[in-house]
Amino acid sequence: MEEGPLWVSEAAGLVSARREMAQWSKSFPDCGGVHQSPIDVETSAVHHDPSLMPVNVVDYHQPGHDPFILSNNGHTVKMSLPAWFQLGGLPWRFTAVQLHFHWGREWDGSGGLAGGSEHTVDGRRSAAELHVVHYNSDLYPNVSVAQSQRDGLVVLGVLIETGDDNNSAYENIFKYLEFIKYAGQQMPIPSFNVRSLLPTDLGRYFRYNGSLTTPPCYQSVLWTVFAEKVTVTRKQLKNLETVLFSNDGKDPKSVPLQDNYRTTQPLNHRVVLASFVPDSITSYTLGKLCAVVVGSLCGLMGLAMVIILLVKAMSSTSSWEALAAVRPAPSRRSKEHDKEQKQDTAFNTDPDPEKPEAPPKVEA
């Protein structure tokens, strides 16, 4: 998620940018925290929470008459959103601020398409990713204050793949990229139905507590990553990957704005909730049950054979003495029992959430 200062220098390529990412924690301590984003969503390990309702986007389909502001800040392409765009169904009101993209490059070193999404699912990276940023407007006056608070932000993540049909919703943005090629450029564009950028199904998603994916990496984000992906054509994706530059245009050596995604971070025992039951959970459970049943049957048959052989071999010993020789010792039962504690599915998906870190002081 892009919300902090820029991390790609004007002369930085992919290798130097990755090295710079590794050094973030030296200047921004939160970047070395244990609740960082993005993550790899391992579908076989998520926790299904049937209480999670479909995401309620309020007034996304009513953009108003004022234009949106599209800008290139040197790290991503960002579009402003009106304050009446909100999220419902959460403990507080969350107001939209902006949306932006993360992407890779047209070709990787082996001649194939290189993905650029930040979140991955079962280790697979998508072609690109859209983030829609909201802040807690009930508790905080603006996003700058909210971003350093544990309950400050909610971000919707949309994974993007390539397909055959032109995506007219995304074309509302992509067709203007050539006018903001260089860092610092911006322009007004006609407003449009932002709901059309999201997946059709808003009821299937993954949710977890994480962070901004750029410095200062505040661990203040409730992430919602939709399971359904949206598609754009390869031509549309190529436009996003090749038109923009990370420098301001004064440097004769223009630096393409590509690979602006952060690699996945360790989960560190966080709980990832799912509003639905992924297929991998179903297949894993059935397979495990079959293994348990088969193993139990084999164990019972083996025990029966041992008892029969012992009885025959020890004919001079009474049956009670023989059974005593193979009877397992009684197990000790624990006097204490764990008590389950229901987790807050909105802002406490972690089994042992860490104490919020105090935001660093920012000098004017």
Side-chain angles (χ1 to χ4, degrees), residues 73-147:
N73 64 7
H75 171 57
T76 186
V77 55
K78 183 167 65 174
M79 190 182 81
S80 63
L81 295 175
W84 59 83
F85 284 12
Q86 298 180 355
L87 291 180
L90 294 170
W92 300 281
R93 177 179 55 184
F94 284 84
T95 298
V97 180
Q98 49 98 343
L99 60 79
H100 61 270
F101 296 88
H102 296 271
W103 61 89
R105 60 180 60 200
E106 186 179 7
W107 304 105
D108 60 16
S110 62
L113 289 173
S117 69
E118 295 209 302
H119 289 89
T120 61
V121 178
D122 292 329
R124 185 182 182 280
R125 190 177 304 281
S126 296
E129 186 169 343
L130 167 69
H131 292 164
V132 189
V133 184
H134 309 74
Y135 79 97
N136 188 334
S137 53
D138 275 347
L139 300 183
Y140 309 108
N142 53 56
V143 66
S144 298
V145 175
Q147 68 174 350

Side-chain angles (χ1 to χ4, degrees), residues 70 77 79 99 101 130 168-177 189 192 197:
L70 192 67
V77 55
M79 190 182 81
L99 60 79
F101 296 88
L130 167 69
S168 58
Y170 280 76
E171 193 64 18
N172 287 319
I173 298 174
F174 292 168
K175 66 183 178 182
Y176 295 105
L177 296 181
I189 65 172
F192 60 93
L197 297 174

Side-chain angles (χ1 to χ4, degrees), residues 50-269:
S51 70
L52 293 177
M53 296 293 102
V55 174
N56 180 17
V57 292
V58 179
D59 291 336
Y60 269 45
H61 63 290
Q62 296 181 350
H65 300 292
D66 294 334
F68 296 150
I69 303 300
L70 192 67
S71 61
N72 176 351
N73 64 7
H75 171 57
T76 186
V77 55
K78 183 167 65 174
M79 190 182 81
S80 63
L81 295 175
W84 59 83
F85 284 12
Q86 298 180 355
L87 291 180
L90 294 170
W92 300 281
R93 177 179 55 184
F94 284 84
T95 298
V97 180
Q98 49 98 343
L99 60 79
H100 61 270
F101 296 88
H102 296 271
W103 61 89
R105 60 180 60 200
E106 186 179 7
W107 304 105
D108 60 16
S110 62
L113 289 173
S117 69
E118 295 209 302
H119 289 89
T120 61
V121 178
D122 292 329
R124 185 182 182 280
R125 190 177 304 281
S126 296
E129 186 169 343
L130 167 69
H131 292 164
V132 189
V133 184
H134 309 74
Y135 79 97
N136 188 334
S137 53
D138 275 347
L139 300 183
Y140 309 108
N142 53 56
V143 66
S144 298
V145 175
Q147 68 174 350
S148 62
Q149 308 301 316
R150 185 171 179 81
D151 52 5
L153 302 177
V154 170
V155 180
L156 305 181
V158 180
L159 300 176
I160 302 171
E161 297 287 8
T162 56
D164 296 330
D165 297 328
N166 188 73
N167 191 315
S168 58
Y170 280 76
E171 193 64 18
N172 287 319
I173 298 174
F174 292 168
K175 66 183 178 182
Y176 295 105
L177 296 181
E178 62 180 314
F179 300 104
I180 56 166
K181 285 185 177 182
Y182 298 102
Q185 292 184 330
Q186 65 178 34
M187 71 170 297
I189 65 172
S191 58
F192 60 93
N193 179 1
V194 174
R195 171 63 181 87
S196 61
L197 297 174
L198 304 181
T200 303
D201 187 355
L202 301 185
R204 292 164 57 89
Y205 56 85
F206 305 103
R207 176 165 287 173
Y208 76 99
N209 286 328
S211 73
L212 305 177
T213 63
T214 57
C217 305
Y218 292 132
Q219 298 178 147
S220 57
V221 182
L222 179 69
W223 279 96
T224 297
V225 180
F226 292 108
E228 181 185 345
K229 302 176 182 180
V230 302
T231 60
V232 299
T233 63
R234 285 198 174 185
K235 181 179 179 181
Q236 288 180 304
L237 181 63
K238 180 180 178 180
N239 194 33
L240 178 65
E241 294 173 336
T242 60
V243 168
L244 302 170
F245 298 95
S246 61
N247 60 319
D248 60 10
K250 297 178 182 179
D251 189 333
K253 296 182 180 179
S254 297
V255 181
L257 179 47
Q258 298 174 327
D259 298 305
N260 63 343
Y261 62 91
R262 188 186 192 188
T263 55
T264 55
Q265 305 297 300
L267 192 59
N268 291 325
H269 307 294

Side-chain angles (χ1 to χ4, degrees), residues 23-41:
Q23 304 299 316
W24 284 355
S25 59
K26 292 184 178 180
S27 301
F28 304 95
D30 289 66
C31 295
V34 296
H35 289 177
Q36 288 292 290
S37 297
I39 63 168
D40 175 50
V41 178

